[in-house]
Amino acid sequence: MIINYLKTALRNFQKHKSFTFLNVLGLALGTAASLLILQYVKYERSFDTFNTKAQDIYRIQYNSYSNGKQNFECAAAVPAVGPALKNNFPEVKRFTRLYPVSGIVSYEGPTGLIAFREEKMQITDTSVFEVFDFKLVKGDPKTALKGPDKVVISEKAAKKYFGNVDPIGKIIGWDGQRKYEVTAIHQDVPSNSHIKFDFLFSYETLNRDTKNQSETNWGWYDFNTYVLLEPGTDAAALQLKWNEYLEKTRAEDWKKYNFKQAFLLQPLLSIHLYSKLLQESNPEEQGDGKSIYALTLIAFFILIIAWVNYINLATAKSFDRANEVGVRKVMGAQKGQLIYQFLSESFLVNLLATSLAILIVRLAWPAFSALSGREVPLSFMMQTDFWTLVGLLFAGGAVLSGFYPAIILSSFKPVSVLKGKVMRTAQGNVLRKSLVVFQFVSSIVLIIGSIVVYQQLNFMNKQDLGIDINKTLVIKGPGAVDSLYNKNFESFKTEALRISGVKNMTASSNVPGDEIFWTRGIKRLSGGPESRYTTYIAGIDEDYVSSYDLKILAGRNFSKDFKSDRKAIILNQSLMKQLEFKTPQEAIGQKVNLGDTLEIIGILEDYHQMSLKNSVTPIAFRSVNTSSFYSFKIEGDNHKAVLAAIEGPWKTFFPGNPIDYFFLDQFFNRQYKSDIQFANVFTIFTGLAIFVACMGLFGLASFMTIQRTKEIGVRKVLGSSVTGIVILLSRGFVQLVLVANLIAWPLAWWVMDRWLGTFPYRIDINPFVFVGAGLAVVVIAFLSVGFQTLKSARVNPAQTLKYE
């Protein structure tokens, strides 16, 4: 019987090649798009899941409050938090701290000095191997980080510095002055870890250098602290007990300094997608839970659109197969057998579509990974859950898209259909039209969403930052410095400014787009708020303001002519307001306490240190000798020649330091990289959803036109023009699209307004976006339908009137 079903289905496919092609292609594209998106979603949701104890691991989030207002929410906590939790709460099984650092790592090998700037380095202790599943391939995890001056390196770093030589026992340098013994090698950190490192330095080195402040300090918050709880611990209950403990033990300090601290348990598995704190471990790799949610919805919509296509085409075609059903019933076929027959066809169509979809997924995988900006492992295709998903999509498609047409087709009464009296039910028409409307509501919402996302990104890219970052070459300062640094820097600067194409140069602790970690409490010596505010601090030289074209609202810039500037400070506008100065002029000459008593000599107009996804933050500028970043304003376009010319004096004055540079506009705009990638993915799959919807509309219009072939002939004989017939046949579809617009517009506005609400600086949604998206879909629908109707309208009525 099954073979008979399959044979009949294949004959039907042979007879209706174009419909079969549309069905298979539409389902294949929908399934492939859904599979690709869902694999991306799976990857994003897989962050940190490789840790077998992930459900019991929490990061300590640090919130600070002053004057009853929240100062900040930070991913890094103070070093004393970990020991306090472990020593006072038996629910805390282990804790570990990771203190991120960077610098020049060097190795003096038999072939000479090897040195690279490394950004992925952490200072930590042996507990890191107990809390997390970071594995060692060589060395003992219990002793590798015991004692000062020890380092564990990754397999990648071992290859990079030591080649095929065993690195255990070898000595590497960090910023030239510090030496560390390699005690172990760890497996490269998985790409889906929110913590990244190639070097782990022993925590006891930091304890020694800070005289144990890195163990007991409650104010120094650069330590990503993680706790491993006993299985089954109620984290909420522990949080309450921990809060009570802090109230008892920290109250005196909080009262003394008029501030308050909160340390919250943040689940490890929520960090990648849902944490947007200061000092995130890898902010550039940070995911976005809302984007993942949006992409999941798109995957769902595309799949539903593809299934709707099948249902619409199959039910519309059902009347064409009424005679077949009638004959089968007269020959004794039961309703159940007919349902099996039509479900068999659905099964075969979905089987072909799913097979084609898997091929598309495999071929499109590299391009999709590049588009999404994530290296989604190809090995996902070999995993059980991928094939389980394929099976579910196949089964869901075969049953859901095939069941309703099967019921419709099998319900025809043989007497009626053999007399040509097949009734088109009102319910059937309403359902078909509703499905078409659903398809285009989805398409219009997606189009409006794509446009608004691009408009918001364009707005952020073109917004005046208040600082000139164009034509700025930035070289990361030398990691290895000594007592001669100031003299060498001045000589290097003098030589650099002589290079043709270098307009000016400045040294600073941070550049725009680089998150400032240097913070401290600031307070006016007289007047203003009673408590301290935590402010960011940037170290700059006297050329920073002019090099970046910053505007001084009052006072003056730092100057070498004023030896007293080491005791001076410049505030930005936000910090001035926070300290409750009414005007910039009022602040000049006033004194503040920032660990030291400093005189305010200037107020800078606010500028965006970070992207427009963040509000302007209060910043205090100090005149200090800093070696973090050297910024060069370049004249002309020959950047390569300028860089090549700078290399000479660089090697002369900073030997042993590899030159590491970037262009500031690119560096700053990297903050929008993930948003642009999301917009690209969103747009491409929106286009795909529209394409699949139009395929269905094209097939439906084609079939409906065939159904009205004789009517077209009669109308032409009675004098109707081709244009009139095209309009007549297209009107019904265009009306459905217009209805879809009315439903989609408020829905799209609600969704996108909520999305825009997450940005501190946002666009207002332009009503023309809705009109444009609606018109675009009307045009697309008309073109899809018009092609078929025009083709039929131009046929000679002598031929169409013969159609049966």
Side-chain angles (χ1 to χ4, degrees):
M1 185 63 76
I2 293 175
I3 293 174
N4 186 44
Y5 290 154
L6 296 178
K7 281 182 179 178
T8 307
L10 290 173
R11 286 179 191 143
N12 186 52
F13 295 163
Q14 181 73 18
K15 184 180 177 184
H16 302 285
K17 293 188 185 72
S18 58
F19 282 101
T20 305
F21 174 76
L22 284 175
N23 274 328
V24 171
L25 185 59
L27 285 169
L29 288 175
T31 306
S34 301
L35 282 171
L36 281 171
I37 293 174
L38 292 176
Q39 295 314 298
Y40 172 76
V41 170
K42 174 187 169 186
Y43 177 74
E44 284 293 281
R45 297 180 67 84
S46 74
F47 266 71
D48 299 313
T49 54
F50 65 89
N51 293 293
T52 53
K53 301 178 280 290
Q55 294 288 348
D56 297 319
I57 300 173
Y58 291 78
R59 184 173 70 179
I60 306 301
Q61 174 184 332
Y62 175 29
N63 292 359
S64 174
Y65 303 85
S66 293
N67 297 319
K69 296 179 182 176
Q70 183 171 290
N71 262 344
F72 57 77
E73 295 178 315
C74 187
V78 301
V81 162
L85 276 163
K86 176 69 178 71
N87 295 334
N88 295 284
F89 299 93
E91 299 95 326
V92 179
K93 190 175 180 182
R94 295 276 187 281
F95 78 91
T96 188
R97 292 161 295 199
L98 291 115
Y99 178 59
V101 289
S102 61
I104 308 294
V105 173
S106 57
Y107 170 61
E108 187 71 51
T111 57
L113 181 68
I114 301 171
F116 295 97
R117 178 178 290 278
E118 300 289 349
E119 303 291 343
K120 296 177 180 176
M121 307 199 298
Q122 307 272 355
I123 299 175
T124 189
D125 50 43
T126 54
S127 295
V128 74
F129 300 116
E130 299 177 82
V131 175
F132 298 103
D133 284 23
F134 300 128
K135 305 291 185 188
L136 296 187
V137 293
K138 263 191 176 179
D140 184 350
K142 294 180 180 176
T143 59
L145 292 172
K146 282 282 186 189
D149 305 324
K150 309 291 183 187
V151 63
V152 175
I153 64 175
S154 67
E155 292 176 291
K156 187 173 71 175
K159 191 75 177 174
K160 184 176 176 181
Y161 286 86
F162 301 98
N164 295 323
V165 176
D166 184 359
I168 303 298
K170 299 286 190 298
I171 303 297
I172 64 170
W174 174 13
D175 282 350
Q177 298 170 341
R178 288 169 277 185
K179 304 295 180 186
Y180 293 83
E181 178 191 355
V182 179
T183 55
I185 302 171
H186 66 79
Q187 286 180 352
D188 290 339
V189 175
S191 62
N192 61 346
S193 169
H194 88 277
I195 308 169
K196 297 287 195 314
F197 53 82
D198 284 316
F199 297 85
L200 293 174
F201 296 96
S202 57
Y203 201 86
E204 289 181 43
T205 312
L206 189 64
N207 285 344
R208 179 195 64 193
D209 295 345
T210 64
K211 299 178 180 175
N212 224 35
Q213 282 291 301
S214 49
E215 201 68 34
T216 59
N217 194 288
W218 281 92
W220 178 14
Y221 59 96
D222 287 322
F223 298 80
N224 293 299
T225 305
Y226 300 84
V227 291
L228 172 64
L229 305 185
E230 292 287 353
T233 298
D234 183 344
L238 175 61
Q239 181 71 60
L240 289 175
K241 289 198 291 183
W242 169 237
N243 292 345
E244 291 172 4
Y245 170 85
L246 288 171
E247 291 283 352
K248 289 178 184 174
T249 58
R250 297 288 303 147
E252 191 175 333
D253 274 355
W254 292 348
K255 187 177 180 182
K256 181 179 177 183
Y257 298 106
N258 195 17
F259 83 119
K260 191 171 181 181
Q261 298 168 301
F263 299 98
L264 310 177
L265 295 169
Q266 184 182 30
L268 177 71
L269 296 180
S270 73
I271 291 174
H272 176 66
L273 289 180
Y274 302 104
S275 182
K276 304 288 181 190
L277 306 176
L278 297 175
Q279 297 186 221
E280 287 290 354
S281 299
N282 288 284
E284 293 171 23
E285 295 184 6
Q286 201 68 23
D288 184 346
K290 290 180 180 175
S291 299
I292 293 302
Y293 181 67
L295 287 174
T296 306
L297 279 180
I298 291 176
F300 174 76
F301 279 135
I302 293 176
L303 197 60
I304 294 296
I305 287 171
W307 287 349
V308 164
N309 275 352
Y310 182 86
I311 293 171
N312 266 342
L313 289 174
T315 53
K317 197 156 59 76
S318 62
F319 304 105
D320 196 40
R321 300 184 66 181
N323 288 338
E324 175 192 337
V325 173
V327 170
R328 284 178 180 275
K329 284 200 168 181
V330 168
M331 297 297 291
Q334 301 297 313
K335 184 174 181 177
Q337 291 173 315
L338 289 170
I339 289 175
Y340 286 132
Q341 169 61 50
F342 293 118
L343 280 176
S344 299
E345 290 182 15
S346 173
F347 174 86
L348 273 182
V349 168
N350 276 278
L351 183 62
L352 290 170
T354 305
S355 303
L356 182 58
I358 293 169
L359 180 63
I360 293 172
V361 168
R362 175 61 188 90
L363 294 175
W365 198 282
F368 180 72
S369 291
L371 181 72
S372 64
R374 296 280 197 243
E375 292 183 10
V376 184
L378 186 58
S379 59
F380 274 18
M381 283 192 75
M382 304 306 293
Q383 294 179 359
T384 305
D385 54 0
F386 174 81
W387 292 102
T388 303
L389 178 63
V390 170
L392 287 173
L393 293 182
F394 163 68
V399 175
L400 293 177
S401 62
F403 190 71
Y404 179 73
I407 293 293
I408 292 291
L409 287 165
S410 62
S411 65
F412 291 148
K413 295 179 180 176
V415 176
S416 299
V417 295
L418 291 176
K419 289 181 179 179
K421 296 180 179 178
V422 178
M423 298 297 290
R424 291 173 171 81
T425 64
Q427 294 89 339
N429 281 332
V430 169
L431 177 67
R432 207 159 37 250
K433 289 177 180 177
S434 301
L435 292 175
V436 171
V437 169
F438 167 79
Q439 286 182 313
F440 282 94
V441 167
S442 306
S443 301
I444 295 164
V445 171
L446 291 174
I447 289 176
I448 293 171
S450 298
I451 294 173
V452 172
V453 167
Y454 270 109
Q455 285 183 332
Q456 174 65 17
L457 288 178
N458 191 47
F459 166 79
M460 291 193 294
N461 268 319
K462 292 189 174 178
Q463 190 73 359
D464 181 13
L465 299 173
I467 187 168
D468 181 11
I469 62 172
N470 296 316
K471 291 197 170 183
T472 305
L473 172 71
V474 179
I475 296 179
K476 294 180 180 177
V481 296
D482 53 26
S483 58
L484 298 175
Y485 169 72
N486 290 341
K487 182 181 175 184
N488 287 336
F489 171 70
E490 290 300 330
S491 300
F492 170 72
K493 188 173 182 178
T494 302
E495 292 296 319
L497 290 174
R498 288 176 180 165
I499 296 170
S500 175
V502 176
K503 187 178 176 183
N504 51 41
M505 175 193 165
T506 180
S508 57
S509 61
N510 300 85
V511 291
D514 177 48
E515 188 175 356
I516 301 174
F517 288 166
W518 186 10
T519 60
R520 191 153 196 160
I522 187 170
K523 187 179 185 306
R524 288 173 60 174
L525 287 194
S526 61
E530 291 185 0
S531 62
R532 290 177 175 274
Y533 276 108
T534 299
T535 184
Y536 295 96
I537 306 169
I540 62 174
D541 65 11
E542 64 281 356
D543 292 320
Y544 187 84
V545 172
S546 58
S547 294
Y548 281 113
D549 199 19
L550 296 174
K551 186 176 179 182
I552 298 177
L553 298 176
R556 64 173 176 83
N557 186 18
F558 294 122
S559 169
K560 287 183 177 176
D561 297 333
F562 294 87
K563 301 299 180 188
S564 59
D565 277 359
R566 293 289 176 184
K567 291 284 187 179
I569 191 170
I570 295 176
L571 313 181
N572 73 345
Q573 222 174 338
S574 293
L575 182 55
M576 180 204 79
K577 291 176 181 174
Q578 203 167 51
L579 293 177
E580 299 182 2
F581 291 111
K582 293 178 182 175
T583 64
Q585 289 75 19
E586 182 190 344
I588 303 303
Q590 298 292 316
K591 293 188 176 177
V592 295
N593 183 284
L594 189 70
D596 196 359
T597 300
L598 305 170
E599 180 182 341
I600 301 171
I601 63 165
I603 301 295
L604 286 181
E605 189 176 63
D606 277 342
Y607 70 88
H608 290 276
Q609 173 67 25
M610 301 302 288
S611 75
L612 269 73
K613 294 190 288 186
N614 306 285
S615 301
V616 172
T617 51
I619 305 176
F621 299 89
R622 297 213 46 194
S623 175
V624 295
N625 295 324
T626 176
S627 61
S628 298
F629 296 98
Y630 299 158
S631 304
F632 302 82
K633 281 290 177 185
I634 305 298
E635 293 178 315
D637 297 321
N638 198 353
H639 299 152
K640 288 184 179 177
V642 171
L643 184 63
I646 290 174
E647 276 194 68
W650 176 272
K651 289 179 179 174
T652 300
F653 296 106
F654 305 118
N657 287 283
I659 194 164
D660 191 355
Y661 69 96
F662 56 84
F663 292 100
L664 189 55
D665 53 349
Q666 296 173 7
F667 178 77
F668 191 90
N669 289 332
R670 85 198 188 289
Q671 298 174 90
Y672 302 123
K673 186 179 174 184
S674 61
D675 301 282
I676 293 170
Q677 286 165 339
F678 168 70
N680 290 338
V681 171
F682 195 94
T683 303
I684 285 179
F685 284 99
T686 295
L688 188 60
I690 295 169
F691 178 70
V692 173
C694 287
M695 282 179 63
L697 197 62
F698 179 83
L700 201 57
S702 176
F703 184 80
M704 293 300 179
T705 305
I706 292 171
Q707 290 282 304
R708 300 177 72 173
T709 300
K710 187 171 282 186
E711 178 190 342
I712 293 170
V714 171
R715 287 182 179 275
K716 288 192 73 173
V717 168
L718 294 176
S720 290
S721 65
V722 172
T723 305
I725 291 172
V726 169
I727 293 173
L728 174 73
L729 296 179
S730 305
R731 188 167 56 197
F733 292 105
V734 174
Q735 284 173 344
L736 294 179
V737 177
L738 290 174
V739 171
N741 271 296
L742 295 178
I743 298 171
W745 287 356
L747 180 62
W749 180 87
W750 182 77
V751 172
M752 297 317 297
D753 189 64
R754 285 174 64 88
W755 180 74
L756 288 170
T758 61
F759 293 89
Y761 306 95
R762 52 162 287 185
I763 59 169
D764 292 323
I765 303 176
N766 191 327
F768 286 107
V769 170
F770 298 89
V771 177
L775 285 176
V777 172
V778 169
V779 170
I780 291 170
F782 183 78
L783 291 175
S784 303
V785 175
F787 175 78
Q788 279 301 321
T789 53
L790 180 64
K791 185 179 171 185
S792 300
R794 296 178 67 177
V795 175
N796 190 330
Q799 295 179 6
T800 54
L801 289 174
K802 295 177 184 175
Y803 181 81
E804 290 295 338

